[in-house]
C-alpha cells in the first residue's frame, strides 16, 4: 500500500524498536465458499504489507469446521489469490495443527483453565448472560483435572454424540466481555475432514484455534476485521495460557463493504445452491471469480482496494467506484469495436448490389500504437433498434424519416423509408448514402449531429450479449418480509442476440473490448463455444448513451 496507514506505522515501529526482525502476516480464509471483494482487501493488506517490509506472507486455510468446508473452495481460493497477483511464501492448513491444538487444550485442563461441560448448546447460551447481566457458572465447571482429562480424551476417542459435550475455557462468567465467559474451545462433530479424514471427531473453535495457528507460524501482526475487536482479550488469553512461544499482535481494520451486493460467503452460498445465479463465478456476484468472469482486471481490483484505504471505519463503498477503476484500466488496453445488441436491418438502396468495401478503423484512438482494423461495408447493415424513432422527440439526433446521420468509420446515411410488418413493427429501414461523406476523406460539406455504430449484415458474426444490473438493491432493504433470495433484481441479467464485426471471429475467452457506445465487454469463459461467442458487459461507458 503506497500510503501510510496505522497498521504500517505499527509495523515500522516494531522493526525499529527491535521487537521484530521480520514482518510475518497471513491471509487466513475459511474454505467454506469462494473469495469475494472483501477478501481482496484483506489479501492486498496482508500480502502488500509483507511485501513492502520484505517480510513473509502466508496463505493459511482456516479449515477447522469440516461440515462447511470443501477442497473445491481451497482450489478456487488459491486460483483467485494468484490471479490477483499475489504469491504466498508458505501454504498452511490449520488442520495440520490439530495435534498441537489438542495438546494445548490438555495443557489448559491440567492448569485448571479448561473443563468439559455437559450443558447443551442452548443451556450454554442461557447461562452466558447478556451485555448488561453477568453469566451463571455451569454445574460442571468444577470437575477435577483427572475427570476432565478422562472426558476430553473420550471426546477425542469418539465416545460421545455430537453436541453432548464441549470443552470450555475457565475464565470468568461475570466478565463484562461476553467472549471471556468460559468460551467453548472444542466441540464433538463426527464429520470427515477434507484434510484429516476421519482422524478427528472433535474440532477446535475459531477463537481457540486462530491464535494458536498464528503463534505456531510466528505471525507478528495478525490482521483481522473490527468485529473481532472484542475477541482480542480472548486471543491474548489463549496465547498466554497455552504458553505459545510467540506472541502475535492482533490488529483490527474496518471491513470493506460495497453497495448493492451481498458480501459474505455464507450469504452468497444460497444464491449458488438454489441456482438463482450461474455458479460462484456468476458475473453478478462480488466474488473474485465473478469479477474475473465479468471482465474486471486484477489491476482494477487492486487499485480500487488501495483507494478505499486502511482504517477502523467500515462504511459501504459505492459500487461505481469499482467501475471507475476498471474503466481506467481498460481505457488504453481494450481494442475498440462495434457490436449491435438489438439489430435493425438497414438497406442502403443506392449502394451497388454485391459490392463490399473494406474501411479502415483505429483500434484505439487513445492508444494509436494498437494500429488499425478493417471492417467491411456493403448494401445491408445492422444498426441498433434504439437508434431509430419514427416520431422522435425534439433533440433526437439519431435516425428518423428524412434525417441524416453518420455511420462510424463509414458514410452519412439518410432515412428514406420505413418498412413494417403486419402488426406495425418496424422491421427494416431503407436509406441512401452519400459517397462524398466517407470517413477520413476530409468531407466538410455539411454536418450531422448523430453518429451511430453498425455492422455489415453480410459478414457480421452473431453473438450473445449479457448485460448486468446489481443482483440486489440496497434500497429494497425496506422489503424486509422478503427473504434475500426473493429480493433478486429481476433485471439483473439481460441476454441479447446481436452481431459483431467479422474481424472478431478468433476472440478468446477473457478477451476484453470496448464496444462503441455500449461499454466494455469480456468474452465469457464459461458459455463461449466454437460456435457461439458470449460477451459479458463489464461496465457501460460513462457517456449518456444507455441501452434500456
Ligand atoms: P465471510 O462472511 O465471507 O465468510 P469471513 O470473515 O468469515 O467472511 P474468512 O474466510 O474468515 O471469511 O476471511 C478471511 C479473512 O478475510 C479474514 O481475516 C477476514 O477478516 C477477511 N475479510 C473477510 N471479509 C472481509 C471484508 N469484507 N473486508 C475486509 N476483510 C475481510
Ligand atoms: Mg466465516
Amino acid at each position: 500500500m503506497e500510503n501510510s496507514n496505522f497498521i504500517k506505522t505499527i509495523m515500522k515501529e516494531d522493526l525499529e524498536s527491535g521487537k521484530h526482525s521480520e514482518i510475518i502476516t497471513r491471509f487466513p480464509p475459511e474454505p467454506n465458499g469462494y473469495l469475494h471483494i472483501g477478501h481482496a482487501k484483506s489479501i492486498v493488506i496482508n500480502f502488500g504489507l509483507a511485501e513492502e517490509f520484505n517480510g513473509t506472507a502466508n496463505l493459511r486455510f482456516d479449515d477447522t469446521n469440516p461440515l462447511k468446508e470443501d477442497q473445491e473452495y481451497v482450489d478456487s481460493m488459491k486460483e483467485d489469490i494468484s490471479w490477483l497477483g499475489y504469491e504466498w511464501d508458505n501454504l498452511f492448513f490449520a488442520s495440520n495443527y490439530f495435534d498441537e491444538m489438542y495438546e494445548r487444550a490438555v495443557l489448559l485442563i491440567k492448569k485448571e483453565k479448561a473443563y468439559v461441560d455437559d450443558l447443551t448448546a442452548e443451556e450454554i447460551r442461557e447461562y452466558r448472560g447478556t451485555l448488561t447481566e453477568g453469566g451463571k457458572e455451569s454445574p460442571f465447571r468444577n470437575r477435577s483435572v483427572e475427570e476432565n482429562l478422562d472426558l476430553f480424551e473420550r471426546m477425542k476417542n469418539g465416545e460421545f454424540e455430537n453436541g453432548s459435550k464441549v470443552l470450555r475455557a475457565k475464565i470468568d462468567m461475570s466478565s463484562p466481555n461476553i467472549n471471556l465467559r468460559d468460551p467453548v474451545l472444542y466441540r464433538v462433530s463426527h464429520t470427515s475432514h477434507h484434510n484429516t479424514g476421519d482422524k478427528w471427531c472433535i474440532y477446535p473453535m475459531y477463537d481457540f484455534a486462530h491464535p494458536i495457528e498464528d503463534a505456531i507460524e510466528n505471525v507478528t501482526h495478525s490482521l483481522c476485521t473490527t468485529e473481532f475487536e472484542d475477541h482480542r482479550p480472548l486471543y491474548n488469553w489463549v496465547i498466554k495460557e497455552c504458553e505459545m512461544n510467540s506472541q502475535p499482535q492482533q490488529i483490527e481494520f474496518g471491513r470493506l463493504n460495497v453497495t448493492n451486493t451481498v458480501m459474505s460467503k455464507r450469504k452468497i452460498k444460497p444464491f449458488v445452491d438454489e441456482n438463482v445465479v450461474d455458479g460462484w463465478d456468476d458475473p453478478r456476484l462480488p466474488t473474485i471469480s465473478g469479477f474475473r468472469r465479468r471482465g474486471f482486471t486484477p489491476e482494477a481490483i487492486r487499485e480500487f482496494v488501495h483507494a478505499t484505504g486502511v482504517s477502523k471505519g467500515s462504511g459501504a463503498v459505492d459500487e461505481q467506484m469499482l467501475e471507475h477503476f476498471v474503466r481506467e484500466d481498460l481505457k488504453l488496453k481494450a481494442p475498440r469495436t462495434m457490436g449491435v445488441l438489438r439489430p435493425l436491418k438497414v438497406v442502403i438502396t443506392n449502394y451497388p448490389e454485391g459490392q463490399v468495401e473494406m474501411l479502415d478503423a483505429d483500434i484505439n484512438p487513445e492508444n494509436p500504437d494498437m494500429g488499425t482494423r478493417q471492417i467491411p461495408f456493403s448494401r445491408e447493415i445492422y444498426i441498433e433498434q434504439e437508434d431509430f424513432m419514427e416520431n422522435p422527440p425534439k433533440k433526437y439526433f439519431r435516425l428518423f424519416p428524412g434525417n441524416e446521420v453518420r455511420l462510424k468509420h463509414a458514410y452519412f446515411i439518410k432515412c428514406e423509408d420505413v418498412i413494417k410488418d403486419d402488426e406495425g413493427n418496424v422491421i427494416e429501414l431503407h436509406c441512401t448514402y452519400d459517397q462524398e461523406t466517407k470517413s477520413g476523406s476530409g468531407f466538410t460539406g455539411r454536418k450531422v449531429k448523430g453518429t451511430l455504430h453498425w455492422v455489415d449484415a453480410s459478414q457480421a458474426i452473431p453473438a450473445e450479449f449479457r448485460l448486468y444490473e446489481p443482483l440486489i438493491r440496497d434500497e429494497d432493504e425496506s422489503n424486509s418480509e422478503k427473504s434475500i433470495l426473493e429480493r433478486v433484481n429481476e433485471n439483473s441479467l439481460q441476454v441479447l442476440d446481436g452481431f459483431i464485426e467479422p474481424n472478431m471471429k478468433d476472440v478468446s475467452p477473457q478477451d476484453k473490448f470496448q464496444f462503441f457506445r455500449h461499454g466494455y465487454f469480456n468474452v465469457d469463459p464459461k458459455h463461449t463455444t466454437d460456435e457461439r461467442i458470449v460477451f459479458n458487459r463489464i461496465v457501460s461507458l460513462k457517456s449518456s448513451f444507455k441501452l434500456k
Side-chain angles (χ1 to χ4, degrees):
M1 324 271 306
E2 289 87 55
N3 299 322
S4 191
N5 63 60
F6 73 101
I7 300 178
K8 209 195 249 187
T9 306
I10 294 172
M11 290 179 167
K12 221 158 126 195
E13 284 167 4
D14 288 349
L15 287 173
E16 281 164 9
S17 71
K19 181 178 177 191
H20 297 296
S21 57
E22 188 199 3
I23 301 297
I24 304 178
T25 62
R26 85 288 172 267
F27 172 63
E30 182 185 0
N32 61 347
Y34 279 55
L35 295 179
H36 51 65
I37 187 88
H39 294 113
K41 176 146 197 164
S42 181
I43 292 168
V44 168
I45 293 176
N46 278 291
F47 285 81
L49 286 171
E51 192 172 56
E52 206 171 314
F53 287 106
N54 247 319
T56 297
N58 299 322
L59 168 59
R60 179 215 306 148
F61 287 102
D62 211 337
D63 54 350
T64 54
N65 183 6
L67 267 181
K68 304 214 164 124
E69 295 157 7
D70 203 276
Q71 185 64 37
E72 177 196 347
Y73 302 140
V74 170
D75 295 339
S76 74
M77 288 179 167
K78 285 157 88 174
E79 185 186 355
D80 289 348
I81 297 167
S82 300
W83 178 76
L84 278 174
Y86 295 97
E87 280 174 40
W88 47 91
D89 291 293
N90 300 287
L91 175 62
F92 294 131
F93 289 87
S95 53
N96 286 345
Y97 312 141
F98 282 169
D99 285 298
E100 174 154 2
M101 289 176 194
Y102 181 79
E103 295 304 319
R104 300 287 167 177
V106 168
L107 174 68
L108 290 181
I109 294 174
K110 287 181 179 161
K111 292 166 72 175
E112 295 190 60
K113 298 282 183 185
Y115 60 97
V116 173
D117 198 349
D118 296 0
L119 292 184
T120 63
E122 199 179 318
E123 286 166 334
I124 290 179
R125 216 173 302 126
E126 279 168 22
Y127 277 56
R128 188 177 293 137
T130 62
L131 282 173
T132 50
E133 224 174 287
K136 209 162 71 177
E137 294 188 356
S138 163
F140 303 98
R141 196 175 197 258
N142 294 312
R143 278 177 160 151
S144 69
V145 170
E146 288 68 37
E147 192 183 0
N148 280 319
L149 286 174
D150 174 60
L151 288 172
F152 188 48
E153 183 168 358
R154 287 165 59 196
M155 278 170 67
K156 181 185 78 156
N157 292 342
E159 288 186 33
F160 305 114
E161 307 269 295
N162 291 355
S164 59
K165 284 192 171 32
V166 292
L167 183 74
R168 296 178 71 176
K170 195 172 187 171
I171 308 180
D172 180 4
M173 288 307 291
S174 61
S175 170
N177 184 338
I178 292 184
N179 295 295
L180 295 178
R181 294 183 192 165
D182 293 8
V184 174
L185 306 180
Y186 263 95
R187 66 203 184 281
V188 177
S189 176
H190 293 268
T191 314
S192 264
H193 188 281
H194 75 102
N195 185 25
T196 58
D198 291 320
K199 177 173 174 189
W200 296 92
C201 61
I202 55 171
Y203 292 96
M205 302 300 289
Y206 176 88
D207 281 331
F208 176 66
H210 205 80
I212 295 179
E213 295 158 22
D214 284 341
I216 290 174
E217 294 166 8
N218 294 312
V219 166
T220 54
H221 301 84
S222 173
L223 312 180
C224 63
T225 41
T226 45
E227 66 273 23
F228 289 99
E229 205 160 353
D230 290 347
H231 297 236
R232 195 184 335 131
L234 177 55
Y235 183 97
N236 292 335
W237 183 92
V238 172
I239 300 269
K240 177 165 167 265
E241 297 300 342
C242 289
E243 300 174 20
M244 303 305 296
N245 284 329
S246 80
Q247 282 88 41
Q249 178 187 0
Q250 176 178 309
I251 305 172
E252 308 87 16
F253 62 90
R255 61 191 294 130
L256 171 66
N257 290 305
V258 177
T259 56
N260 291 330
T261 193
V262 270
M263 187 84 90
S264 162
K265 289 179 258 129
R266 190 174 45 80
K267 287 188 190 160
I268 295 170
K269 194 165 184 293
F271 287 88
V272 178
D273 291 345
E274 302 297 321
N275 294 316
V276 174
V277 296
D278 180 26
W280 282 95
D281 62 353
D282 187 289
R284 291 166 291 181
L285 292 176
T287 51
I288 306 292
S289 51
F291 280 114
R292 176 167 63 235
R293 191 173 148 202
R294 175 105 169 226
F296 279 69
T297 58
E299 291 85 351
I301 293 177
R302 291 200 307 261
E303 284 302 312
F304 164 74
V305 169
H306 280 140
T308 63
V310 181
S311 71
K312 290 272 184 191
S314 60
V317 176
D318 196 321
E319 39 158 348
Q320 305 222 10
M321 185 166 157
L322 246 167
E323 300 187 351
H324 164 80
F325 283 101
V326 76
R327 276 192 204 100
E328 280 299 300
D329 187 44
L330 292 178
K331 195 166 63 183
L332 298 183
K333 292 182 186 169
R336 307 288 168 91
T337 187
M338 294 194 288
V340 174
L341 276 51
R342 287 176 167 136
L344 171 62
K345 184 170 269 182
V346 172
V347 180
I348 299 161
T349 51
N350 61 340
Y351 196 88
E353 240 167 295
Q355 180 176 313
V356 181
E357 65 181 301
M358 298 305 287
L359 304 171
D360 272 333
D362 34 28
I363 290 177
N364 189 335
E366 292 184 63
N367 185 0
D369 289 347
M370 292 177 80
T372 57
R373 68 187 197 273
Q374 296 250 295
I375 41 181
F377 182 79
S378 69
R379 189 178 152 89
E380 293 191 358
I381 62 169
Y382 293 115
I383 65 165
E384 212 67 66
Q385 286 171 18
E386 281 84 353
D387 282 339
F388 171 79
M389 279 186 97
E390 196 169 13
N391 299 300
K394 272 198 182 118
K395 298 204 174 159
Y396 185 84
F397 300 123
R398 297 179 241 167
L399 218 45
F400 54 87
N403 191 42
E404 192 175 43
V405 296
R406 178 197 309 276
L407 293 178
K408 180 79 175 164
H409 302 303
Y411 299 95
F412 289 8
I413 57 168
K414 188 172 173 188
C415 180
E416 310 281 1
D417 238 332
V418 182
I419 315 297
K420 296 181 184 171
D421 65 11
D422 294 341
E423 275 131 45
N425 303 308
V426 176
I427 51 166
E428 195 173 290
L429 301 178
H430 286 183
C431 294
T432 49
Y433 87 118
D434 178 354
Q435 209 175 345
E436 301 291 302
T437 59
K438 185 170 177 174
S439 173
S441 69
F443 174 77
T444 52
R446 60 187 185 280
K447 291 210 162 71
V448 288
K449 285 213 162 127
T451 300
L452 309 188
H453 60 275
W454 56 277
V455 289
D456 178 72
S458 65
Q459 294 189 43
I461 303 172
E464 180 174 311
F465 293 91
R466 297 181 170 215
L467 309 186
Y468 300 101
E469 282 184 17
L471 194 58
I472 297 277
R473 286 197 195 278
D474 291 345
E475 64 252 33
D476 291 349
E477 198 93 51
S478 55
N479 239 330
S480 53
E481 71 275 13
K482 285 189 183 166
S483 80
I484 190 145
L485 290 182
E486 291 167 338
R487 283 177 43 207
V488 166
N489 170 8
E490 54 187 31
N491 297 322
S492 62
L493 168 64
Q494 199 180 160
V495 179
L496 300 173
D497 286 316
F499 292 101
I500 55 175
E501 293 179 19
N503 55 47
M504 292 182 74
K505 65 180 191 308
D506 294 324
V507 297
S508 304
Q510 296 296 109
D511 282 352
K512 293 160 187 59
F513 297 90
Q514 189 199 109
F515 279 91
F516 185 63
R517 296 167 76 217
H518 281 303
Y520 292 99
F521 287 71
N522 185 47
V523 179
D524 186 278
K526 202 160 179 172
H527 296 297
T528 297
T529 63
D530 287 344
E531 281 77 46
R532 186 162 186 76
I533 305 174
V534 177
F535 288 96
N536 295 319
R537 179 150 72 186
I538 310 168
V539 276
S540 58
L541 296 173
K542 244 196 297 187
S543 96
S544 57
F545 175 74
K546 225 175 141 212
L547 193 74
K548 278 176 268 106

